[in-house]
Amino acid sequence: MSQQPHLTIYLRKRRRLVSGLLLSLATVVALMTYLLWSAYQQTLREAEATTRNFAALIEARLEASLRNAEAELREIAKSIPPDALRADAVPRYDKGISADLLSRVTNYPEVSGIRIFDAGGNLLYSEGRGEVRRVNIADRSHFSRLRASRDLQFTFSDVITGRTSGRQVLTVAHAMRGPDGAFAGMVGFGLSIDYFLELFKSVDLGEGSNVAVYRKDDFRLVMRWPVIKTNLNKPLPADSPTRQAFDNGKDKATIQILAASDGRVRIYSYDATEGYPFFVSVGVARDTVLQDWRARSYAVATFGAVLIVTLGVLFFQWLRAEGGIARFNAELEARVRERTAELESFNYSISHDLRTPLRGIAGIARILESDYASSLDHAGRDLLARMRESSMRMGNLIDGLLQLARLARVEVVVEQVDLVVLARQILDDLCAQEPGRRVTLVLPEKLEVRGDRQLLAIVLENLLGNAWKFTGRKSDARIELGVETKDDMPLYFVRDNGAGFDPAHEQHLFTPFHRLHRDDEFPGTGIGLATVQRIIRRHGGSLRAEGKPGEGATFYFTLSASRSAA
């Protein structure tokens, strides 16, 4: 009978151990799932950003070519004497005009040629590159449009094969008119499709990607890499998501489309030119984008499965063991401490290792900003600013990780500490940083506790710093540090009347990297409250929060070593 209490205690401990193991496994699975899902979303966001950036770059290059062509055509049209557009005048003007056209062509590698035609569509002048046959383009649709309309000065052809060059071109055409406004001829820039295809080919976004230019007035394909000749000058289907986006008034967008040709989902970004009837489309295959993520996911899942199986085997071996429970518990605790130490060391090492590439990114951003800022347009400078902002935020996250890792290593040195003294130092620093703010600070004369002075300073820095941050939009901001008594136990608190939070999300407050507010509302890393909770627990205490949206928040904490001090 004397063994019954021991058996009861043993069974109770075993039940707690089983429950704890199952909870730990569930937590590990949940954490791994969350990390994988977060990595999945991040990978897709990066792919979307990449397609947007390339679409913007190619659109800018195409628009620059079109603007240069338009400007040159206007100058040429003004410089040609009216009588030079007669066939019998060609011998007299040919040398000078052809030389001028040649000098203009050499400035633009994307231009395959410049041609001048009379009112009947007969070729009169060219830049003189190679042998040019005398041809007539009266049947070309762009020529017919200029000849038929007195108001039309500038237009574009379909993608055509040049009758003088034999190459595919997009002709930028400008009408030449007499003093009475009558159509006298046309000057055309032939933009080389091959030039742009080589440019598109250099944009290597992986297998299954493509770059294309479409007309935005009738959605016909102008050029595409990889080339699909049968689709040239053909419009997108009427139910195309791209056409629907344009119908909704969007000149820039990122969408996912299931391709009917191969059944693959692609991420497309398009960017329309300003003032010209074209838009650029850049697409990447989603399965290609996710290849690296899948490989990492399989590795993590394999590791998780091995870990779970290993823990399960160890646990059931322990259940079958007889007479060695105490020894097994001691060994298990030693293993847990060893694994925990290894994990903390690994976390600390990884956080340090992350700084090297981060410093590289920040350094590149500084070089670009100092040496090349004048060469970037507004969009480029905005991307550069976002790069620097992201690197700074990553640096803050690494600092938070390092602080979390250090907390497991720091020895808690218990001494008498006055929280009011620490709070005044912290609040004085905050006031110095924002001297224009008016905040009512409520502090007792003294609030002595027993604990580690440095760790408790970190607790107050986070709690008071949060109160200061979340009252930033309050004209009557109020921050209070105090103590209450509950169940003969001192209950310390930091209270503010700031933004508050939804009580339904209280359980997420102390989860690392989980934030209840967007960065553009209240910046932060999501590590501060997790740090506070870890410090409070190392003092044998507890931490909880109360709050309502728009009415502020109160954070309560206990310190087991402070019962007598209060």
Side-chain angles (χ1 to χ4, degrees):
M1 294 293 291
S2 62
Q3 294 181 356
Q4 188 64 31
H6 296 285
L7 179 59
T8 302
I9 294 173
Y10 166 72
L11 293 176
R12 189 180 299 128
K13 288 182 177 179
R14 190 173 70 172
R15 284 195 296 270
R16 286 201 297 266
L17 181 60
V18 172
S19 299
L21 179 63
L22 293 177
L23 180 61
S24 299
L25 292 177
T27 302
V28 170
V29 172
L31 179 60
M32 291 170 57
T33 302
Y34 170 75
L35 292 176
L36 291 175
W37 174 251
S38 298
Y40 172 83
Q41 294 293 329
Q42 180 64 24
T43 301
L44 292 182
R45 285 194 294 268
E46 290 175 355
E48 291 175 353
T50 299
T51 58
R52 282 195 297 270
N53 293 340
F54 275 112
L57 289 172
I58 295 174
E59 181 276 330
R61 182 66 186 86
L62 175 62
E63 186 172 319
S65 294
L66 296 175
R67 291 196 184 281
N68 291 335
E70 183 179 8
E72 292 285 354
L73 289 174
R74 291 186 189 279
E75 288 187 10
I76 294 171
K78 290 180 181 179
S79 67
I80 300 298
D83 62 338
L85 297 178
R86 301 194 317 269
D88 58 356
V90 170
R92 185 167 73 254
Y93 289 100
D94 184 53
K95 184 177 180 180
I97 292 178
S98 295
D100 177 61
L101 298 182
L102 179 60
S103 67
R104 295 175 186 272
V105 166
T106 55
N107 294 327
Y108 305 105
E110 68 270 33
V111 176
S112 65
I114 306 177
R115 308 287 188 264
I116 297 177
F117 300 87
D118 64 14
N122 298 304
L123 175 63
L124 299 180
Y125 307 99
S126 73
E127 82 289 352
R129 286 186 174 178
E131 182 180 352
V132 178
R133 294 180 292 110
R134 297 298 177 181
V135 296
N136 184 281
I137 62 165
D139 59 327
R140 297 289 199 189
S141 59
H142 59 285
F143 183 87
S144 299
R145 285 194 300 272
L146 292 175
R147 184 170 57 181
S149 174
R150 282 178 171 264
D151 297 328
L152 185 62
Q153 286 292 105
F154 189 73
T155 191
F156 300 90
S157 72
D158 297 336
V159 176
I160 58 177
T161 300
R163 289 173 179 170
T164 57
S165 66
R167 291 175 291 183
Q168 285 190 326
V169 295
L170 172 68
T171 298
V172 186
H174 190 284
M176 293 187 292
R177 302 188 183 279
D180 60 350
F183 181 74
M186 184 202 85
V187 56
F189 255 51
L191 295 182
S192 171
I193 299 298
D194 290 339
Y195 171 86
F196 285 98
L197 291 180
E198 285 298 318
L199 176 65
F200 298 168
K201 187 178 179 180
S202 67
V203 180
D204 185 9
L205 296 177
E207 187 272 332
S209 63
N210 59 70
V211 182
V213 175
Y214 293 87
R215 293 186 66 104
K216 62 182 179 183
D217 48 5
D218 55 14
F219 299 97
R220 285 180 296 152
L221 178 65
V222 177
M223 48 186 143
R224 181 188 190 275
W225 180 264
V227 177
I228 302 180
K229 293 184 179 180
T230 56
N231 289 351
L232 194 64
N233 289 323
K234 290 185 177 179
L236 290 171
D239 59 352
S240 166
T242 301
R243 295 189 66 157
Q244 294 172 5
F246 269 101
D247 291 340
N248 292 330
K250 296 180 179 179
D251 281 347
K252 297 181 180 181
T254 299
I255 53 180
Q256 294 194 31
I257 301 176
L258 177 62
S261 58
D262 56 8
R264 299 173 73 179
V265 176
R266 286 182 172 82
I267 300 171
Y268 283 98
S269 289
Y270 66 82
D271 200 325
T273 57
E274 183 177 350
Y276 301 101
F278 302 98
F279 69 91
V280 175
S281 170
V282 177
V284 295
R286 192 173 66 178
D287 53 359
T288 300
V289 169
L290 294 173
Q291 281 180 350
D292 290 341
W293 174 83
R294 288 195 181 94
R296 292 194 300 268
S297 300
Y298 292 149
V300 171
T302 301
F303 171 77
V306 171
L307 178 62
I308 291 172
V309 171
T310 301
L311 290 176
V313 170
L314 290 175
F315 175 70
F316 285 111
Q317 286 180 349
W318 179 85
L319 288 180
R320 291 194 300 267
E322 296 179 358
I325 295 177
R327 178 178 57 81
F328 178 81
N329 284 340
E331 292 178 355
L332 183 60
E333 289 176 0
R335 288 178 182 175
V336 171
R337 285 194 298 270
E338 180 183 353
R339 296 296 186 270
T340 302
E342 291 175 355
L343 182 60
E344 295 292 348
S345 177
F346 176 77
N347 183 28
Y348 189 83
S349 175
I350 286 297
S351 298
H352 268 292
D353 291 343
L354 286 175
R355 287 189 177 278
T356 299
L358 187 63
R359 283 195 297 267
I361 294 173
I364 292 172
R366 283 194 297 270
I367 293 172
L368 288 174
E369 188 175 45
S370 63
D371 296 348
Y372 300 97
S374 60
S375 302
L376 299 175
D377 60 9
H378 177 73
R381 290 191 294 272
D382 180 61
L383 290 173
L384 182 59
R386 288 167 59 188
M387 180 192 299
R388 294 200 63 183
E389 180 181 350
S390 297
S391 65
M392 290 175 62
R393 185 170 184 273
M394 187 62 185
N396 292 335
L397 289 174
I398 292 174
D399 290 339
L401 284 173
L402 289 173
Q403 188 176 63
L404 281 175
R406 291 191 190 105
L407 290 177
R409 301 162 178 257
V410 173
E411 180 182 357
V412 178
V413 179
V414 178
E415 58 180 310
Q416 201 78 1
V417 181
D418 189 350
L419 295 183
V420 174
V421 174
L422 297 178
R424 289 191 186 279
Q425 295 172 350
I426 295 167
L427 291 171
D428 286 346
D429 290 341
L430 292 173
C431 290
Q433 293 172 15
E434 293 185 79
R437 283 192 60 183
R438 295 294 179 265
V439 181
T440 301
L441 305 176
V442 182
L443 303 174
E445 292 184 2
K446 182 180 292 188
L447 190 55
E448 292 189 342
V449 300
R450 288 189 60 78
D452 186 291
R453 181 181 302 274
Q454 293 183 351
L455 294 181
L456 292 178
I458 295 174
V459 169
L460 291 181
E461 283 176 359
N462 281 283
L463 295 181
L464 293 174
N466 280 351
W468 184 272
K469 175 171 62 177
F470 291 110
T471 56
R473 300 180 182 178
K474 288 280 188 177
S475 59
D476 58 342
R478 175 187 171 91
I479 299 174
E480 180 181 2
L481 170 67
V483 62
E484 301 173 353
T485 301
K486 184 176 182 181
D487 299 330
D488 297 327
M489 183 76 178
L491 185 63
Y492 308 98
F493 65 87
V494 173
R495 180 178 292 127
D496 66 75
N497 64 341
F501 62 90
D502 188 345
H505 301 307
E506 178 188 349
Q507 68 274 21
H508 299 306
L509 283 172
F510 309 108
T511 303
F513 308 113
H514 192 102
R515 306 191 66 243
L516 303 186
H517 300 276
R518 300 193 310 271
D519 274 346
D520 57 346
E521 294 177 329
F522 300 99
T525 62
I527 297 179
L529 289 178
T531 301
V532 170
Q533 185 181 59
R534 182 168 292 191
I535 293 174
I536 295 300
R537 286 179 175 175
R538 293 210 64 191
H539 282 75
S542 62
L543 175 67
R544 65 182 179 87
E546 295 179 358
K548 291 183 179 179
E551 297 182 15
T554 303
F555 288 84
Y556 296 95
F557 61 94
T558 62
L559 301 168
S560 63
S562 300
R563 182 186 297 270
S564 60

